Amino acid sequence: YHVILLTNYMMLELILTRPQEDIIRISIYDHLKYLVFDELHTYRGRQGADVSFLIRRLKSQSKQNISCIGTSATMISGSGIAEQKQKIAEVASIIFGHKFAHDQIIMESLVRCFDYTSAIPNKDELRNLLEHPHPIHTDDPEDKLKPFPLCVWLENNVALIEKDGRLLRNTPMRFSDIVHQLMNDTSLDKETCENALTSLLLWLANVNEKKQDKKNAYLPYKIHHFISQTGTVYVSLHNDKKRILTLEPLTHSGQENIPLYPVVFSRVSGYEFICVNKNYDEERLYPREFKEIIEEEENIVSGYIIPYPDIWNPDTDMELLPDSWTKKDRHGNYKNKKLPQKIYYDHQGNFSDTKLLQYEGWFMPAKLLFDPTSGTLYETRTGEGTKLTRLGSEGRSTSTTVLSFSILTYLAQYGFEKEYQKLLSFTDNRQDAALQSGHFNDFVKVIKLRSAIYHALLEKKQLDHSNLSDAIFSSLNLSQEEYAKIPSTFPSKIRENENALKDFLMYRALYDLRRGWRFILPNLEQCALLDIDYKNLTDNCKLEQQWSSVPFLNTMSPENRIEIVYHTLDYFRKSYAIWSVEYLTQEAINQKTKEITEKLKFPWELEHNEKIVYPYHIRYETLIGNTSRISTESIGIRSALGKYLKNKINPEWKTTEYIDFIKVFLDVLVNAGWLIRTNDTKNGDLKKIKIVNKHGQTTSLYQLTIDSILWKLGDENSIHSDVVKNKSYKIREQKPNQYFQHIYKTNFKEVKPIIGREHTGQLSNEDRIEREDKFRTGEYSVLFCSPTMELGIDIKDLNVVHMRNVPPNQSNYAQRSGRAGRSGQAALIFTNCSMYSPHDRHYFNHTSDMVSGAVAL
């Protein structure tokens, strides 16, 4: 007889219909006796109907009487055992086209782990146990665990429930609920009960880890953690203890129908800005979403309420703003309508510009030109999201990457063997799995590079371009097998492989000098672990004769001269306008790209279609002609640097006067060796290109010389403000990002390589097998999976599963979470819940419904 174990019903459909499968089809019809379905709960809806039709067609053609068998770990419906069996029998009858009786349904049989004598330990027995100075020793052997009274209590009160004479799995409980139940049963305080349960769970985990027979583990538990994406805070306009705060997207609250408004926060100062639409006809404040700004309405203005009367003082602060912002009309009113305006309002949303009401503050129209809470001045093209942020603005990819990396870090920190330092991450979309894998690997590469730079500076204190790549290479301490496509034992070949990696690291380090991601992944400078300086800056700026030709700077003190020169050179560096014959000419980039591509492998290689970025060139005039292949950045009078120099040196400058100054200034910087004219006949890729301004006259382009840059160790506290790009009229002290500072200080020499790969249905069979094998051994730390990993793949010794979103239903959750803890060990399952998905929000508030894994039929 034949048995068909159905895992892909479409394959059976094809076998029964394709002419070339004639021999197999005839054999099936002649000999098929058993048709077996694993994970029967997956055949629901349209898919279930397709499978039902397939079964009926198969049975109608078969010569044998076919017996149908279905298995599922999660098909539960109804309150009692008899009712559950009857319901499952009805569903099976529909799917298989054959009448099933309730006595044909075989339910799960459970037995107790611990010694049970028909009575749960009473209150006195538990109290005596928990009040003992050291009631639980987590290293005690197995023979002490089985009769332990708290184990018996936990199994019979929490893990199991007896119904109709059968033992069933109890509904999952929060740890806090278990603690409170123990408190009620013992009348002891929370700390005592919490410590006792924590110690007991650790004891269980230790015993299960040492057991040879993993199938008979003692209460193998799983910790399920649901993490909500942070979103927008909604508040009432109260400015006292009556204020209402909620994360729920509500427009009103309470019986008084009090209006609620979205709140965003200054990225610099942290002060709150309440998002409103100001209706002048009704004299009412209406809530608006952060990015929804009404344009050109006479009676409605979109803006923000700043509920802090003291953050703006027109009498003193107005003098600190640019003159163009503070011009008045003939009536004595300021022309600029973007300035803070006094506003009076109450908690019901009524407002007045003149009449005193319950509260007072400042109203600022969107889009903000400046932030009065921090003094930061913005360009008109700067987006609102750069100035302000919701309580949380992280995306799903970022949160998944950061959480996954943190889990792997803690697994290493707490002594797990390297093959156990891994996790499986699920998403419902295969494109998202590939995206997430790339996001994670980019994140890891960036932090490993920055960590290597930091640890190299710990040893050397100062680096320059001549020894930077060697220091990073030494700090990473990679074996040849980790980065080389073809490892070798020959010294010449080893040197070639090492040089290719050093070149790759150098390009990454140079590109990291540009103006970085300020919010998502702050760089070493923003974490106060790195200071960039320039060679001979102090000594050269103290000289007098060499600066005599530069107007204004020739009369400045050396300290002021140092400040201006430093920020000018920094502007070049952060614009990635760097000159290097060895690395950044087009010829050097082409040659080293080939070496890197040929000799390095994942993850120490260029991404698919990735090109090494050609540097920018700095100009002070508008260019004409054939300059399309040149990337340029302006330092004209209207540029950020131009505005900085004008403000610091001579606010009265006209364009021609500024051009005259900047030419002389740049000449001195070239003479000092900090800059180079890249279109000079002696230098660079542009010596054959004629660079002309809009008047047809020859002009110059400039870059910062690589040998003038110094990498120095930061003090972990001080951050150099970018006063050119981030202008402010208030003195503010920036604080380093503590989280990323801690990550960059991690010594990755002591951590196994962290690599993530995707696992989807689009993989070839060879790639799939290779990734599953390397994940089992721990060589790959993370697999980002589509639902293809839910069924039929055994990943042993897995402790952690992550879900990028809440799965569609409980059966999916049960299958995915079931990948962890299959050897009887404790397991962690954590799930991201989007604030903007009603499905995710529902199950974040009803976690037990999802964790129980019971599929209602």
Side-chain angles (χ1 to χ4, degrees):
Y1 293 123
H2 291 344
V3 177
I4 293 181
L5 177 60
L6 199 70
T7 58
N8 186 336
Y9 76 95
M10 285 304 300
M11 287 303 300
L12 180 57
E13 176 88 28
L14 293 173
I15 289 173
L16 297 182
T17 55
R18 291 190 300 200
Q20 62 266 36
E21 309 288 358
D22 188 57
I23 296 175
I24 299 176
R25 180 168 58 254
I26 292 173
S27 178
I28 288 174
Y29 287 151
D30 288 346
H31 302 289
L32 183 62
K33 182 68 174 175
Y34 298 101
L35 188 59
V36 182
F37 291 78
D38 191 19
E39 310 296 353
L40 191 62
H41 62 271
T42 61
Y43 300 109
R44 307 167 70 195
R46 178 178 176 180
Q47 186 181 40
D50 288 345
V51 172
S52 296
F53 279 119
L54 177 63
I55 294 170
R56 285 160 173 78
R57 188 164 77 249
L58 188 62
K59 291 172 70 175
S60 68
Q61 297 287 334
S62 296
K63 296 179 180 179
Q64 304 294 330
N65 184 23
I66 298 177
S67 297
C68 295
I69 302 170
T71 66
S72 172
T74 56
M75 290 179 66
I76 299 174
S77 186
S79 55
I81 299 296
E83 186 180 348
Q84 289 180 10
K85 285 188 173 185
Q86 184 60 41
K87 186 64 178 179
I88 294 172
E90 292 173 6
V91 173
S93 299
I94 295 172
I95 293 177
F96 296 128
H98 177 80
K99 183 67 176 177
F100 279 82
H102 69 89
D103 58 356
Q104 291 178 280
I105 307 302
I106 301 173
M107 303 293 286
E108 178 183 48
S109 296
L110 301 175
V111 295
R112 291 182 172 90
C113 297
F114 304 109
D115 295 345
Y116 178 69
T117 58
S118 73
I120 299 174
N122 58 36
K123 178 178 181 178
D124 292 336
E125 189 175 0
L126 289 172
R127 281 183 64 92
N128 290 336
L129 178 72
L130 299 187
E131 287 177 336
H132 192 275
H134 300 287
I136 299 174
H137 298 277
T138 57
D139 293 327
D140 279 347
E142 181 180 341
D143 58 349
K144 289 188 177 182
L145 181 71
K146 293 192 69 173
F148 196 69
L150 191 56
C151 290
V152 178
W153 177 90
L154 184 67
E155 182 175 43
N156 290 278
N157 279 25
V158 176
L160 301 176
I161 186 172
E162 191 167 342
K163 187 181 292 186
D164 299 337
R166 293 177 62 93
L167 288 175
L168 303 176
R169 299 174 189 268
N170 204 351
T171 303
M173 296 176 64
R174 296 177 184 271
F175 182 72
S176 58
D177 293 336
I178 301 173
V179 171
H180 280 98
Q181 186 168 332
L182 184 59
M183 290 169 60
N184 292 334
D185 288 358
T186 60
S187 298
L188 293 174
D189 63 274
K190 179 181 178 181
E191 184 179 2
T192 300
C193 295
E194 194 173 81
N195 291 339
L197 285 171
T198 301
S199 298
L200 178 61
L201 293 176
L202 289 173
W203 188 11
L204 289 170
N206 288 340
V207 170
N208 288 337
E209 184 180 354
K210 296 173 184 177
K211 279 181 69 69
Q212 297 296 322
D213 183 10
K214 299 295 185 181
K215 292 183 179 179
N216 292 318
Y218 295 101
L219 292 187
Y221 57 89
K222 295 180 180 178
I223 299 172
H224 300 261
H225 193 41
F226 286 71
I227 301 171
S228 177
Q229 180 186 23
T230 49
T232 303
V233 179
Y234 294 83
V235 302
S236 65
L237 292 177
H238 293 95
N239 204 11
D240 49 33
K241 294 181 180 179
K242 295 181 180 179
R243 192 180 206 196
I244 301 168
L245 293 93
T246 179
L247 291 173
E248 298 297 323
L250 303 175
T251 57
H252 292 80
S253 175
Q255 295 181 349
E256 297 181 44
N257 210 25
I258 298 173
L260 300 178
Y261 301 80
V263 175
V264 289
F265 303 89
S266 167
R267 286 194 182 271
V268 180
S269 68
Y271 279 83
E272 65 186 68
F273 288 63
I274 303 172
C275 302
V276 300
N277 281 325
K278 194 176 182 183
N279 189 313
Y280 285 95
D281 291 345
E282 302 176 19
E283 293 190 328
R284 291 276 295 176
L285 299 172
Y286 289 97
R288 69 171 178 89
E289 289 303 317
F290 176 36
K291 297 296 179 70
E292 295 177 359
I293 299 174
I294 297 176
E295 303 280 356
E296 298 180 0
E297 289 277 350
E298 290 184 4
N299 63 326
I300 299 177
V301 178
S302 295
Y304 308 94
I305 297 291
I306 309 176
Y308 305 100
D310 298 333
I311 58 95
W312 173 255
N313 185 343
D315 296 333
T316 56
D317 293 348
M318 197 71 73
E319 298 175 358
L320 303 175
L321 293 176
D323 293 341
S324 60
W325 292 17
T326 57
K327 292 180 179 179
K328 295 182 179 182
D329 58 23
R330 59 182 179 177
H331 302 294
N333 299 319
Y334 289 105
K335 292 181 179 180
N336 196 328
K337 302 300 182 183
K338 297 287 186 178
L339 296 173
Q341 305 161 15
K342 196 70 174 181
I343 188 171
Y344 304 94
Y345 57 94
D346 62 25
H347 69 276
Q348 288 292 350
N350 302 302
F351 83 90
S352 172
D353 292 336
T354 56
K355 185 174 64 176
L356 292 177
L357 291 173
Q358 192 175 8
Y359 308 111
E360 65 175 285
W362 296 97
F363 175 80
M364 291 197 72
K367 302 176 179 179
L368 294 180
L369 281 182
F370 73 100
D371 176 359
T373 66
S374 66
T376 306
L377 308 173
Y378 296 109
E379 299 289 340
T380 53
R381 63 179 180 269
T382 304
E384 294 295 272
T386 303
K387 312 163 193 171
L388 306 168
T389 180
R390 299 181 179 93
L391 177 64
S393 56
E394 81 283 358
R396 206 187 294 267
S397 295
T398 299
S399 58
T400 296
T401 290
V402 171
L403 286 170
S404 300
F405 179 81
S406 297
I407 290 291
L408 293 170
T409 302
Y410 280 115
L411 288 173
Q413 181 178 331
Y414 285 98
F416 283 80
E417 298 294 331
K418 291 185 177 181
E419 60 266 29
Y420 301 139
Q421 296 174 27
K422 59 189 176 186
L423 67 89
L424 206 59
S425 178
F426 281 100
T427 182
D428 284 324
N429 186 302
R430 65 188 181 189
Q431 286 83 6
D432 285 346
L435 168 69
Q436 187 64 65
S437 175
H439 190 283
F440 179 83
N441 288 322
D442 286 345
F443 176 88
V444 171
K445 275 197 291 189
V446 169
I447 63 174
K448 286 188 74 173
L449 172 69
R450 291 174 177 173
S451 173
I453 294 173
Y454 167 73
H455 282 90
L457 288 170
L458 275 182
E459 181 179 349
K460 303 288 187 180
K461 306 304 179 187
Q462 178 175 300
L463 298 167
D464 59 28
H465 81 290
S466 65
N467 56 6
L468 180 64
S469 60
D470 289 333
I472 299 174
F473 178 83
S474 176
S475 182
L476 283 172
N477 194 33
L478 299 174
S479 66
Q480 202 182 171
E481 287 71 20
E482 292 180 67
Y483 64 85
K485 281 183 179 177
I486 307 175
S488 176
T489 58
F490 285 88
S492 59
K493 187 65 177 177
I494 292 173
R495 281 195 301 273
E496 290 179 6
N497 291 335
E498 289 181 353
N499 288 337
L501 180 59
K502 289 177 182 179
D503 288 339
F504 174 81
L505 296 173
M506 189 66 177
Y507 280 118
R508 287 285 193 258
L510 289 176
Y511 197 59
D512 211 38
L513 291 175
R514 75 200 193 289
R515 189 167 289 105
W517 303 336
R518 287 183 291 162
F519 311 126
I520 297 176
L521 191 56
N523 59 28
L524 288 171
E525 290 177 85
Q526 293 165 286
C527 295
L529 298 177
L530 169 67
D531 278 336
I532 295 295
D533 201 357
Y534 302 95
K535 281 186 180 178
N536 306 316
L537 179 63
T538 301
D539 292 340
N540 287 351
C541 288
K542 286 181 178 179
L543 301 173
E544 296 298 334
Q545 181 180 350
Q546 285 76 1
W547 295 96
S548 60
S549 62
V550 186
F552 301 101
L553 266 67
N554 53 12
T555 59
M556 281 186 178
S557 67
E559 291 74 22
N560 291 338
R561 198 179 295 150
I562 289 170
E563 179 185 355
I564 289 176
V565 172
Y566 176 86
H567 288 299
T568 301
L569 299 179
D570 233 31
Y571 186 86
F572 277 72
R573 188 257 300 185
K574 291 180 178 178
S575 298
Y576 196 56
I578 302 173
W579 181 81
S580 169
V581 173
E582 184 179 0
Y583 293 102
L584 295 177
T585 64
Q586 195 61 64
E587 181 182 354
I589 289 175
N590 292 340
Q591 178 183 348
K592 291 185 183 296
T593 297
K594 292 177 183 178
E595 293 293 318
I596 290 169
T597 303
E598 290 174 1
K599 291 183 168 56
L600 302 184
K601 68 175 184 179
F602 178 86
W604 300 102
E605 63 179 351
L606 296 172
E607 300 290 338
H608 179 63
N609 292 329
E610 180 187 359
K611 295 181 179 179
I612 296 173
V613 178
Y614 189 65
Y616 280 73
H617 298 75
I618 298 297
R619 56 180 171 82
Y620 56 82
E621 295 180 288
T622 303
L623 305 182
I624 62 171
N626 185 20
T627 58
S628 57
R629 74 180 186 88
I630 307 173
S631 298
T632 64
E633 183 85 13
S634 173
I635 56 170
I637 195 169
R638 291 186 179 88
S639 69
L641 181 62
K643 291 177 181 178
Y644 166 78
L645 293 173
K646 183 178 178 182
N647 181 60
K648 293 290 289 186
I649 298 175
N650 185 4
E652 304 300 325
W653 262 338
K654 304 298 182 185
T655 301
T656 54
E657 295 171 330
Y658 173 80
I659 293 295
D660 291 339
F661 165 81
I662 202 71
K663 284 181 181 179
V664 178
F665 182 40
L666 293 176
D667 284 343
V668 173
L669 297 183
V670 170
N671 189 34
W674 292 314
L675 302 184
I676 192 167
R677 292 185 191 89
T678 52
N679 56 317
D680 189 284
T681 55
K682 301 176 183 178
N683 304 315
D685 296 336
L686 309 181
K687 56 189 176 183
K688 296 182 180 180
I689 300 176
K690 188 175 182 180
I691 307 297
V692 296
N693 61 20
K694 61 183 179 181
H695 303 296
Q697 301 168 333
T698 301
T699 187
S700 298
L701 300 180
Y702 300 85
Q703 287 179 321
L704 176 70
T705 58
I706 192 174
D707 61 353
S708 65
I709 304 172
L710 297 176
W711 285 258
K712 293 183 177 181
L713 184 65
D715 63 5
E716 302 186 15
N717 296 306
S718 305
I719 300 176
H720 291 299
S721 297
D722 187 352
V723 298
V724 175
K725 278 289 187 179
N726 302 322
K727 294 172 288 185
S728 176
Y729 62 83
K730 290 183 180 179
I731 298 175
R732 66 178 188 275
E733 182 179 347
Q734 288 182 278
K735 295 181 179 179
N737 187 303
Q738 296 294 323
Y739 173 76
F740 282 100
Q741 187 183 88
H742 174 74
I743 287 181
Y744 295 145
K745 291 169 73 173
T746 301
N747 189 350
F748 285 95
K749 286 182 181 180
E750 302 171 357
V751 180
K752 78 162 194 174
I754 299 175
I755 302 173
R757 301 308 297 259
E758 71 269 22
H759 185 289
T760 69
Q762 290 182 314
L763 291 178
S764 66
N765 194 48
E766 292 78 11
D767 285 342
R768 180 185 61 80
I769 292 173
E770 180 256 349
R771 293 183 185 186
E772 290 170 11
D773 288 343
K774 288 189 175 181
F775 185 69
R776 287 190 185 98
T777 61
E779 185 174 344
Y780 288 162
S781 301
V782 193
L783 279 187
F784 297 100
C785 310
S786 60
T788 54
M789 185 62 91
E790 272 190 30
L791 309 175
I793 299 172
D794 183 20
I795 300 296
K796 297 180 180 178
D797 303 322
L798 180 66
N799 301 314
V800 185
V801 163
H802 167 257
M803 297 181 209
R804 198 170 180 265
N805 57 280
V806 179
N809 55 58
Q810 294 93 327
S811 63
N812 297 117
Y813 185 91
Q815 291 297 332
R816 298 177 192 185
S817 62
R819 298 299 99 193
R822 294 175 72 87
S823 297
Q825 76 273 30
L828 169 66
I829 295 90
F830 62 107
T831 305
N832 275 89
C833 302
S834 171
M835 279 291 294
Y836 307 103
S837 165
H839 174 81
D840 287 16
R841 286 171 60 85
H842 170 78
Y843 283 109
F844 180 77
N845 294 319
H846 302 87
T847 53
S848 60
D849 292 348
M850 180 58 69
V851 174
S852 64
V855 182
L857 302 175

